[in-house]
Amino acid sequence: MPVTPADYPKYMRIAHEQALKSLSEGGIPIGGCIVHAPTGDVLSKGHNKRVQENSNIKHGETDALENLGRVREGLLRECIMFTTLSPCIMCSGTCVLYKFPTVVLAENDNFVGGEDFLRSQGVEVVNLKDAEITKMMADWIASDAGKKIWNEDIGEVSAE
């Protein structure tokens, strides 16, 4: 069944489950999933593993792509990237590289990434403004663990 905007919250729940998985592993609570828009099939999901795998690039979106593996040419042009947080410029660039036509994010209150870049490249950006996910991320950023690694994750320098 083709994905419609009314279906977006259902798929965002999958990305949220991935964010919670990362949180339970002591990682950064950001999750993603890749959905084939014409069929509604969830092709892959992933979560931020920077802490767990000592990685600089395992964000929720890049982990979902890694977990998908190699695919036929053009497949990702038929897919939607769902992510629990506004994608950073690295993840936004990856979505542009693979020509995702749509990126759906849960929120951008806690961080605004490459949304303008995505739009400038013709990518539709949809913000669900999900209150539960926004609170989860804000609570984590304010936590002791979040204070230690949040700026590192987004490439910022801590004020401390």
Side-chain angles (χ1 to χ4, degrees):
M1 199 99 177
V3 176
T4 68
D7 299 318
Y8 291 173
K10 171 179 78 172
Y11 294 109
M12 188 55 71
R13 294 281 61 94
I14 296 167
H16 186 205
E17 289 167 6
Q18 289 295 301
L20 293 172
K21 181 176 182 181
S22 185
L23 185 63
S24 75
E25 295 171 351
I28 301 163
I30 301 171
C33 73
I34 298 170
V35 177
H36 188 238
T39 64
D41 293 337
V42 176
L43 301 182
S44 184
K45 51 193 175 180
H47 60 281
N48 190 301
K49 293 180 181 169
R50 290 192 62 252
V51 172
Q52 300 92 311
E53 295 186 7
N54 194 31
S55 169
N56 287 311
I57 62 170
K58 281 287 186 100
H59 288 197
E61 302 90 340
T62 57
D63 188 52
L65 277 164
E66 177 75 12
N67 292 336
L68 179 61
R70 224 171 138 188
V71 296
R72 70 168 166 80
E73 181 183 1
L75 176 69
L76 296 174
R77 295 171 191 231
E78 302 168 2
C79 293
I80 301 170
M81 174 67 79
F82 287 83
T83 178
T84 57
L85 186 65
S86 178
C88 73
I89 196 67
M90 176 181 70
C91 293
S92 295
T94 300
C95 289
V96 168
L97 174 68
Y98 291 107
K99 302 192 176 20
F100 281 88
T102 305
V103 173
V104 178
L105 51 124
E107 62 105 353
N108 67 0
D109 288 351
N110 289 295
F111 175 74
V112 177
E115 296 172 44
D116 288 341
F117 171 70
L118 287 165
R119 288 185 190 98
S120 78
Q121 300 300 306
V123 178
E124 177 186 22
V125 178
V126 178
N127 184 353
L128 298 182
K129 300 180 183 194
D130 185 295
E132 180 182 359
I133 295 173
T134 301
K135 182 179 180 338
M136 173 200 65
M137 194 66 196
D139 289 349
W140 179 81
I141 291 169
S143 73
D144 288 340
K147 288 176 188 170
K148 290 178 183 169
I149 59 177
W150 174 237
N151 282 339
E152 175 190 324
D153 190 62
I154 59 172
E156 295 293 330
V157 176
S158 178
E160 298 173 4

